[in-house]
Amino acid sequence: MNVAPMTKKDVIPINRKDTARLPTKLAPGTVQQAKSAARKWKTSLYGGMDGLIKSAIPPLLGLIVFMLGWSLLAGHSPQLPGPVKTWHSAVEVFSDPFYDHGPNDQGIGWNILRSLERVGLGFGLAALVGIPLGFMIGRFSFLSQMTAPIISLLRPVSPLAWLPIGLLVFKEAQPAAIWVIFISSIWPMVINTAVGVTKVPTDYLNVARVLNLSEFKIFSKILFPATLPYMMTGVRLSIGIAWLVIVAAEMLTGGVGLGFWIWDEWNNLNVEHIIIAIFVVGIVGLALEKMLLMLARRFEY
């Protein structure tokens, strides 16, 4: 394709009035303002990076010390795998986390999901029963006095002590494990919610009595907002206990789950997989707690 060369007629003349409107120089102080803004941006950028580096150094040092200690321990104990060997095994395990070769040989992904399912069911049932019960215990002194000896008696009982009762009542391992999680995680929610209700200033309740508010209005407008921080603390404690208990319960009940996976790998003397499972349990527990913290901040009044 040939393009014709430009001639003088093709050039559009520029009006002098238009050129006169263009600024010949910047307004006084504009350059100084731009330099000041650039300096502030640079200072904030370096300040943010400096703060990020300072906050990242302590955890990194802690991890390095942990890895060094682990390596030294593994060097003195040949049966304990070190970090590098465990890392290679973890890469192999997580390369196919959802394989299924029968009931006793499934990927770690299925085991995590089954443990989360049991914890979700047991913890959900505990929340459905424990939180309303805590409100009633905190609201009515007669009920508080009636339940105090029962809670004091049952709360210190070891979680696994409830497992034979669950097997006896439900006749199956799956509901028995859910029962153990339920009975172990219900107490922090009951106690913290009840304490939160008792901490509500009596002046608020007196005003509600003078205004002749219904019990639902008292609950929704006074008790629930004031008790929410206590209640969320109980929920966080309960999810930690539930995740702690599930590993031990699954070791005894069997089936698919992280606890059974750890026990099965121990029987196969696969120590790398046991260490991987320990890290997985810790990471999932930390993630559950962080999610509940974010939820608590979302509903802060």
Side-chain angles (χ1 to χ4, degrees), residues 131 135 197 200 217-232 299 301:
I131 291 175
F135 272 107
V197 173
V200 175
K217 285 279 187 185
I218 294 173
F219 169 77
S220 59
K221 300 295 183 184
I222 299 175
L223 293 182
F224 185 75
T227 310
L228 193 57
Y230 295 90
M231 191 177 71
M232 290 308 297
F299 289 101
Y301 283 81

Side-chain angles (χ1 to χ4, degrees), residues 42-60:
K42 194 180 290 183
T43 305
S44 64
L45 178 64
Y46 287 147
M49 290 180 65
D50 188 50
L52 185 64
I53 291 171
K54 284 182 180 176
S55 62
I57 285 175
L60 283 175

Side-chain angles (χ1 to χ4, degrees), residues 14-222:
I14 300 175
N15 194 344
R16 289 191 175 184
K17 291 181 179 178
D18 296 335
T19 57
R21 291 173 189 168
L22 295 173
T24 55
K25 60 180 181 179
L26 295 174
T30 305
V31 176
Q32 286 78 5
Q33 288 177 3
K35 287 182 178 177
S36 175
R39 279 197 298 272
K40 286 181 180 176
W41 178 79
K42 194 180 290 183
T43 305
S44 64
L45 178 64
Y46 287 147
M49 290 180 65
D50 188 50
L52 185 64
I53 291 171
K54 284 182 180 176
S55 62
I57 285 175
L60 283 175
L61 280 177
L63 286 174
I64 290 170
V65 170
F66 175 74
M67 290 295 175
L68 285 176
W70 182 5
S71 301
L72 287 174
L73 190 61
H76 287 83
S77 177
Q79 293 180 341
L80 181 68
V84 177
K85 192 176 179 182
T86 306
W87 171 257
H88 289 305
S89 185
V91 171
E92 184 181 349
V93 166
F94 283 99
S95 62
D96 187 13
F98 291 104
Y99 73 85
D100 189 351
H101 297 161
N104 295 327
D105 188 12
Q106 297 190 10
I108 192 169
W110 293 119
N111 288 282
I112 295 172
L113 290 179
R114 290 305 300 271
S115 294
L116 284 173
E117 179 189 354
R118 292 190 183 103
V119 168
L121 287 171
F123 173 77
L125 288 172
L128 282 176
V129 176
I131 291 175
L133 183 61
F135 272 107
M136 288 191 291
I137 289 173
R139 184 81 176 97
F140 305 107
S141 59
F142 177 80
L143 190 60
S144 174
Q145 294 171 5
M146 191 177 77
T147 54
I150 301 171
I151 294 175
S152 302
L153 180 69
L154 299 183
R155 187 173 59 87
V157 175
S158 173
L160 293 183
W162 295 104
L163 186 58
I165 305 298
L167 290 171
L168 184 69
V169 173
F170 298 106
K171 312 291 185 189
E172 290 183 14
Q174 171 81 357
I178 295 171
W179 154 256
V180 171
I181 294 167
F182 167 80
I183 198 68
S184 304
S185 59
I186 192 172
W187 307 120
M189 286 189 277
V190 172
I191 295 170
N192 279 273
T193 307
V195 169
V197 173
T198 58
K199 297 293 182 184
V200 175
T202 52
D203 292 343
Y204 294 174
L205 299 176
N206 290 335
V207 170
R209 196 175 294 113
V210 170
L211 295 175
N212 199 21
L213 295 180
S214 65
E215 198 63 34
F216 178 75
K217 285 279 187 185
I218 294 173
F219 169 77
S220 59
K221 300 295 183 184
I222 299 175

Side-chain angles (χ1 to χ4, degrees), residues 288-301:
L288 289 173
E289 186 171 355
K290 291 292 181 187
M291 285 171 58
L292 285 173
L293 270 175
M294 290 173 61
L295 188 67
R297 287 174 188 155
R298 175 71 178 80
F299 289 101
E300 274 183 354
Y301 283 81

